[in-house]
Amino acid sequence: MRWIAEQGFHAWLLDWGEPTPGDGDLSINGHIERVLIPAMQQFDEPPVLVGYCLGGTMSIAAAIAGDCAGVAAIAAPWHFRGYGEARDDIGSLWEAARTGCEQLGLVPMEVLQTGFWRLDPARTVAKFESFATMAPEAAAMFIAMEDWANSGAPLTYAAGAELFEQLLLADAPGTRAWRVAGRLIDPADLTCPAVEFVSLGDRIVPAATAIGLPDRRDLGAGHVGMVVGSRAKEQLWEPLRDWLAAIP
């Protein structure tokens, strides 16, 4: 964010806040309709949206349902059938966790992280095995990244239910059955400039789930590495800056 601002752009970061059980009925659609689109309307001119992971999925919907000057999706899942056999495993996880989450009104981060681990269990074990032989500097970075990845706010219950049931299991976006703000969300309906950055080494959002925009940029990095890795500036930051600068 600091770097992109230094390139001459007015960059705003949307903080979704810390949900409470009283927010349990706020779905992903609700976040778009009641938070994101109203925030977009606060600017004198339509903004350009840049969304990462599920934020990219939501940004595509907001760009279609709202007034937007451009949209960039970074590692954003759309065709959720691209998760393959992992969908059934994660579906079982949600089935086991759903009642407890409903009672809480929230979906704790631990439920989400368990879902991420199930995408590639062997890799999860291997990365912790490698920690035992890491040099001190690399180990410190590993701990910092794991602390970041395992912290954060929970989802509201409705957002978690929509994520697991409508997006992941039913593949509503990929089958053109996802409605937001009364509109059927189809990326083909985008009228503003749009680009997607797809990580070919991403296990959290596999390349098979990509949106399929005409302007697609493939990166050789992982889900987190594409944003903060040693080659992130070269692979993502600079191409994103150039794309933003080219918007009329």
Side-chain angles (χ1 to χ4, degrees), residues 5-22:
E6 290 168 357
Q7 308 306 301
F9 299 99
H10 296 287
W12 296 75
L13 179 64
L14 179 58
D15 187 337
W16 299 102
E18 185 86 19
T20 68

Side-chain angles (χ1 to χ4, degrees), residues 29-89:
N29 282 13
H31 280 81
I32 299 169
E33 298 166 358
R34 292 157 55 182
V35 181
L36 181 51
I37 291 178
M40 293 163 58
Q41 295 169 343
Q42 299 303 306
F43 296 95
D44 294 333
E45 298 179 356
V48 176
L49 298 179
V50 179
Y52 172 51
C53 194
L54 187 60
T57 310
M58 297 166 72
S59 293
I60 294 292
I64 294 171
D67 191 8
C68 185
V71 58
I74 302 170
W78 193 267
H79 298 280
F80 284 81
R81 64 181 180 274
Y83 280 100
E85 296 179 358
R87 293 167 70 198
D88 292 336
D89 199 18

Side-chain angles (χ1 to χ4, degrees), residues 92-107:
S92 298
L93 166 68
W94 174 242
E95 190 65 29
R98 179 171 52 192
T99 299
C101 292
E102 187 174 15
Q103 292 175 345
L104 288 172
L106 299 168
V107 179

